[in-house]
């Protein structure tokens, strides 16, 4: 983490909210941070012999040769998805999830191998040559597509997040647990997805005017299936074939997944193998028993598709502690299933005063958006929060407001403000404030 | 049209809701006609009106054996839950301090149970049950929930008519986007 002494170049920077939050212009102009880089002096005259012990070992012999598929440095080994380890005897280890270590990442793209996983019956090992996609139901002509033939359609590439609708679900409940970013919010990831607009395939099959929904089904052992309004399928749905430039990872639906920008991750059916056009929703297990929102009056909201506007600070956050007073960059993600992020505000006094953060480009619709803000920490105990606003004007609510509206029994669509307590010792802890 | 133009037109056509007829380019048509018998075999989803439910039937009594041998290990002998979801009870607890969402207390449609058990259960061997066995397991879970009688035949006609206790508690929150 960037850090400067109190008498550093930002001491005079304009403070715009309580407890040291600086004006976002620090991050708008770029390059302002270069000032303090001190020159490394005195090494220029070393002889080869003297270089022993001055230059690191890896400068003294040629490095490793080429590899077919690169992996991160061995020193980055701790950067891993997290999941509950199961005893070997546990009968259904493939029904569950693994979480993205968001607090250890920068920018907005999640490396494909760190994209969160949510599967209902494990990851199938699909041979793409044997995989087909059936489009049928209320169509003129039922059609079968294969992976290779889909590559011949005009391709679209877009950056979109996928978020499990159960992400941050710990926020519901009477005494919610606390934890690091990955534990609390790690079921969201963001990729550049490339593939074929679903509308092409639907047009080709010939949509019967009576069709209003589809049923999308995966080729995993759960036969994961969800109903999707036809309007979404025609608007911006994609059959994703590529993720961050390479074929979609097995955990993400290889060789093809449905991508419904901004909508519940569970609906972006992985290992997609069947689309049936229907009059109404099919009411599958995962749109009745699960992924419905139980309200305080015992009623349940069904088909709440878009993921609401949300944000969290990732640095500092639990596990990313402070190292003494001075300058810090506050950094985090914001996203909304309803469009672009318009604004993110940051508070260092538990929500009493707010400073507008800088949004890093690109700010794409239904994508993670990186925000940053300079901060001069004086070493005091404070509470950091972030609050996102999307282009529809929707504002991320406090937990209090969210619970007043939806009660505590809902397990999905939690988007309340997250609070990080910074202690005088420098320890950072997730708290409910 | 040049390839580049075609690609742009495709992307824009899809993104801006231009109807197919107005697109500047016709995408290739690579779909192969799907044989009707294959479609029939692959089409295993069952909506609330029961369309597509297969022939055959079973009662809870007949289904007990299937349930005990193929389901109980993970869901409990009486559906009380084991390593996996509790399937039985919890009626009237949706507004209580402690809530149990089960097939009996929460699910709006009995057809969902057939659809789901046939496609995904038992977890360790999905799609392995015969249709009668699925009807039997479904009947038994509904019977444990006191929704059907022990000797009620469960089949394509009776299953869609089963009244699930929580059916009217679901509100469709989806509204179609406004069209220009």
């Amino acid at each position: 983490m960037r850090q400067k002494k109190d008498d550093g170049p930002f001491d005079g920077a304009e403070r715009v909210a309580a407890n040291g939050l600086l004006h976002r212009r620090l991050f708008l102009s770029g390059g302002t941070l270069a000032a303090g880089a001190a020159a490394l002096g005195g090494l220029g005259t070393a002889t080869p012999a003297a270089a022993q012990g001055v230059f690191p070992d890896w400068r003294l012999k040629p490095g490793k040769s080429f590899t077919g598929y690169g992996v991160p440095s061995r020193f980055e080994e701790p950067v891993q998805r997290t999941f509950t380890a199961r005893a070997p005897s546990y009968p259904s280890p493939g029904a569950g999830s693994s979480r993205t270590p968001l607090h250890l990442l920068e920018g907005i793209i999640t490396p494909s191998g760190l994209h969160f996983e949510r599967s209902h019956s494990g990851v199938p090992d699909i041979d793409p040559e044997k995989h087909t996609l059936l489009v049928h139901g209320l169509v003129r002509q039922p059609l079968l597509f294969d992976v290779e033939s889909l590559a011949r359609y005009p391709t679209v590439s877009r950056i979109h997040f996928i978020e499990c609708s159960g992400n941050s679900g710990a926020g519901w409940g009477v005494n919610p647990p606390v934890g690091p970013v990955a534990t609390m919010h790690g079921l969201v990831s963001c990729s550049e997805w490339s593939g074929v607009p679903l509308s092409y395939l639907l047009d080709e099959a010939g949509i019967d005017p009576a069709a209003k929904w589809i049923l999308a089904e995966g080729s995993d052992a759960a036969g994961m299936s969800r109903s999707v309004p036809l309007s979404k399928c025609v608007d911006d749905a994609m059959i994703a074939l590529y993720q961050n430039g390479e074929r979609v990872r097995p955990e993400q639906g290889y060789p093809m997944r449905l991508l419904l920008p901004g909508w519940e991750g569970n609906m972006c059916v992985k290992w997609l193998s069947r689309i049936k056009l229907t009059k109404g929703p099919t009411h599958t297990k995962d749109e009745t028993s699960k992924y419905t929102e139980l309200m305080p009056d015992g009623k349940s909201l069904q088909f709440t598709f878009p993921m609401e506007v949300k944000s969290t600070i990732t640095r500092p956050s639990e596990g990313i502690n402070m190292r003494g007073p001075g300058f810090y960059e506050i950094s985090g993600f914001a996203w909304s299933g309803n469009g672009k992020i318009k604004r993110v505000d940051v508070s260092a006094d538990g929500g009493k005063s707010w400073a507008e953060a800088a949004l890093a480009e690109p700010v794409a619709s239904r994508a993670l958006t990186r925000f940053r803000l300079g901060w001069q920490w004086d070493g005091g105990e404070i509470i950091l929060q972030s609050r996102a606003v999307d282009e529809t004007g929707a504002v991320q609510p406090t937990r209090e407001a969210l619970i007043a509206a939806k009660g505590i029994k809902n397990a999905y669509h939690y988007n309340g403000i997250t609070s990080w307590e910074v202690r005088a010792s420098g320890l950072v802890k997730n708290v409910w404030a | 049209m040049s390839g580049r133009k075609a690609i742009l037109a495709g992307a824009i056509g899809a993104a801006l809701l231009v109807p197919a007829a107005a697109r500047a380019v016709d995408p290739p048509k690579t779909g192969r006609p799907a044989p009707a018998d294959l479609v029939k075999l692959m089409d295993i989803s069952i909506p609330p009106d029961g369309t597509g439910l297969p022939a055959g039937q079973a009662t809870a009594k007949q289904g007990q054996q299937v349930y005990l041998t193929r389901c109980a290990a993970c869901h409990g002998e009486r559906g009380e839950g084991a390593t996996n979801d509790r399937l039985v009870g919890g009626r009237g607890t949706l507004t209580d301090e402690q809530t149990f969402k089960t097939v009996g207390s929460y699910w709006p449609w009995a057809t969902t149970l057939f659809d789901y058990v046939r496609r995904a259960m038992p977890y360790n061997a999905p799609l392995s049950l015969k249709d009668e066995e699925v009807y039997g397991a479904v009947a038994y879970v509904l019977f444990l929930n006191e929704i059907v009688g022990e000797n009620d035949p469960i089949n394509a006609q009776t299953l869609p008519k089963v009244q699930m206790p929580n059916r009217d508690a679901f509100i469709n929150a989806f509204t179609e986007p406004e069209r220009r």
Side-chain angles (χ1 to χ4, degrees):
Chain A
M1 180 164 295
R2 263 182 222 284
Q3 193 179 325
K4 288 282 188 303
K5 285 268 170 330
D6 257 351
D7 57 1
F10 306 111
D11 212 30
E14 184 189 343
R15 290 163 191 248
V16 294
N19 293 333
L21 295 179
L22 305 180
H23 195 281
R24 74 186 196 285
R25 85 168 62 85
L26 271 184
F27 289 93
L28 296 179
S29 47
T32 350
L33 293 172
L40 287 170
L43 302 184
T45 57
T47 62
Q52 307 285 334
V54 172
F55 289 114
D57 289 353
W58 47 88
R59 286 209 60 177
L60 307 179
K61 59 178 195 304
K64 165 167 102 73
S65 180
F66 308 101
T67 51
Y69 198 107
V71 295
S73 161
R74 63 191 169 96
F75 298 100
E76 295 302 309
E77 213 261 339
V79 183
Q80 300 274 344
R81 291 188 284 226
T82 48
F83 52 92
T84 310
R86 299 290 193 185
S89 61
Y90 189 74
S92 51
S97 60
S98 71
R99 292 158 182 270
T100 299
L102 293 169
H103 57 300
L104 302 177
L105 304 179
E106 248 306 331
I108 59 169
I109 298 292
T110 311
S112 300
L114 294 176
H115 193 296
F116 84 88
E117 302 169 88
R118 173 75 178 98
S119 300
H120 292 259
S121 195
V123 179
D125 180 26
I126 296 180
D127 177 346
E129 296 202 351
K130 294 187 187 139
H131 182 86
T132 54
L133 171 61
L134 171 66
V135 177
H136 74 115
L138 295 171
V139 295
R140 192 178 54 240
Q141 169 68 59
L143 293 175
L144 279 167
F145 298 89
D146 52 46
V147 181
E148 202 231 298
S149 74
L150 289 186
R152 292 173 46 202
Y153 291 78
T155 304
V156 291
S157 294
R158 301 204 205 100
I159 299 175
H160 289 302
F161 73 81
I162 293 182
E163 181 178 24
C164 176
S165 84
N167 194 25
S168 323
W172 304 112
V174 190
N175 290 309
V178 288
V181 177
T183 311
M184 307 306 288
H185 311 292
L187 298 178
V188 63
S189 300
C190 186
S191 306
E192 184 208 46
W193 302 97
S194 302
V196 181
L198 175 55
S199 59
Y200 289 159
L201 310 189
L202 299 179
D203 282 349
E204 195 173 324
I207 303 174
D208 181 325
K212 294 284 177 283
W213 289 69
I214 68 159
L215 185 272
E217 181 179 283
S219 190
D220 58 332
M224 240 306 302
S225 56
R226 285 292 303 259
S227 305
V228 185
L230 187 62
S231 51
K232 179 72 171 175
C233 301
V234 178
D235 283 359
D236 63 355
M238 179 200 292
I239 310 286
L241 303 169
Y242 292 87
Q243 175 187 5
N244 299 329
E246 61 184 357
R247 289 285 180 177
V248 167
R249 288 286 173 98
E251 305 97 296
Q252 299 311 320
Y254 182 85
M256 59 179 76
R257 93 178 289 170
L258 182 60
L259 187 79
L260 303 172
W263 285 21
E264 295 179 339
N266 179 255
M267 305 177 74
C268 300
V269 174
K270 302 191 277 189
W271 314 294
L272 184 69
S273 60
R274 185 164 74 95
I275 286 177
K276 180 180 187 181
L277 282 75
T278 57
K279 283 196 190 117
T282 300
H283 294 272
T284 68
K285 182 268 251 182
D286 285 301
E287 59 204 24
T288 53
S289 171
K290 302 292 193 289
Y291 305 102
T292 47
E293 301 187 53
L294 178 55
M295 296 292 106
D297 63 358
K299 301 274 186 211
S300 287
L301 303 180
Q302 196 182 14
F303 308 129
T304 52
F305 298 138
M307 295 307 295
E308 294 82 354
V309 62
K310 184 145 101 186
S311 71
T312 178
I313 293 170
T314 55
R315 278 189 297 132
S317 65
E318 186 157 328
I320 312 278
N321 297 318
M322 313 293 288
R323 297 184 196 170
F327 176 82
Y328 289 83
E329 174 190 301
I330 294 171
S331 177
F333 295 109
W335 65 99
S336 166
N338 287 310
K340 288 184 183 176
I341 288 299
K342 190 169 79 186
R343 170 188 176 119
V344 179
D345 296 318
V346 172
S347 172
D349 57 4
K352 292 199 236 357
S353 69
W354 297 89
E356 187 177 353
L359 303 183
E361 293 293 335
V363 178
S365 179
R366 300 172 173 90
L368 290 188
T369 297
R370 174 65 66 175
F371 64 87
R372 304 177 204 281
L373 190 68
W375 175 38
Q376 201 73 44
W377 182 49
D378 67 5
E381 286 209 353
I382 56 102
I383 292 198
L384 286 177
Q385 297 180 331
S386 61
R387 179 183 68 189
V389 183
D390 72 18
E391 64 178 330
T392 71
V395 181
Q396 185 180 6
T398 59
R399 177 167 184 272
E400 209 178 5
L402 193 58
I403 280 174
K406 289 190 161 182
I408 51 168
K409 293 204 178 283
N410 192 2
Y412 305 101
H413 287 266
Y414 183 91
N415 70 326
I417 287 174
T418 294
S419 301
W420 303 103
E421 179 183 76
V422 178
R423 302 194 182 153
S425 65
L427 202 67
V428 182
K429 283 286 177 192
N430 182 208
V431 292
W432 298 102
Chain B
M1 175 182 279
S2 78
R4 193 181 126 77
K5 263 202 194 131
I7 285 168
L8 285 178
I12 291 166
L16 300 185
L17 326 180
V18 178
R23 270 191 212 124
V25 63
D26 267 340
K29 298 202 182 319
T30 72
R32 291 173 277 131
D37 51 343
L38 178 75
V39 172
K40 197 157 185 289
L41 288 170
M42 283 184 74
D43 185 4
I44 58 168
S45 47
I46 308 294
D49 70 6
T51 305
L53 277 170
Q57 67 175 32
T59 63
K61 200 163 197 164
Q62 291 164 325
Q64 180 179 28
Q65 197 51 29
V66 176
Y67 182 86
L68 291 178
T69 53
R70 307 298 299 272
C71 320
C74 298
H75 294 291
E77 286 207 356
R78 300 200 52 82
E80 71 278 14
T83 48
N84 298 105
D85 301 61
R86 170 172 173 166
L87 304 178
V88 172
R91 253 152 88 181
T93 65
L94 297 183
T95 53
D96 288 359
E97 204 170 306
Q98 206 180 10
T99 292
F100 299 100
K101 289 156 92 181
T102 72
V103 172
S105 71
Y106 197 65
W107 290 35
W109 305 104
T111 47
T112 306
L113 188 57
F114 186 96
D115 171 295
Y116 181 66
V117 171
R118 179 167 65 167
R119 73 174 55 240
M121 291 292 137
Y123 180 90
N124 45 341
L127 297 170
S128 68
L129 297 185
K130 295 190 194 73
D131 290 337
E132 275 86 5
E133 293 175 311
V134 179
Y135 278 124
V138 163
Y140 193 66
V141 171
L142 293 173
F143 166 69
L144 289 176
N145 276 296
E146 297 171 11
I147 294 170
V148 303
E150 197 172 9
N151 296 309
D152 293 354
I154 299 301
N155 57 38
Q157 282 70 49
T158 58
L159 187 66
K161 295 203 187 96
V162 170
Q163 271 291 333
M164 298 298 275
N166 198 40
R167 174 181 297 185
D168 296 330
F170 285 81
I171 299 164
N172 181 353
F174 175 70
T175 47
E176 288 288 348
E178 279 177 36
R179 296 290 174 197
R180 283 159 290 174

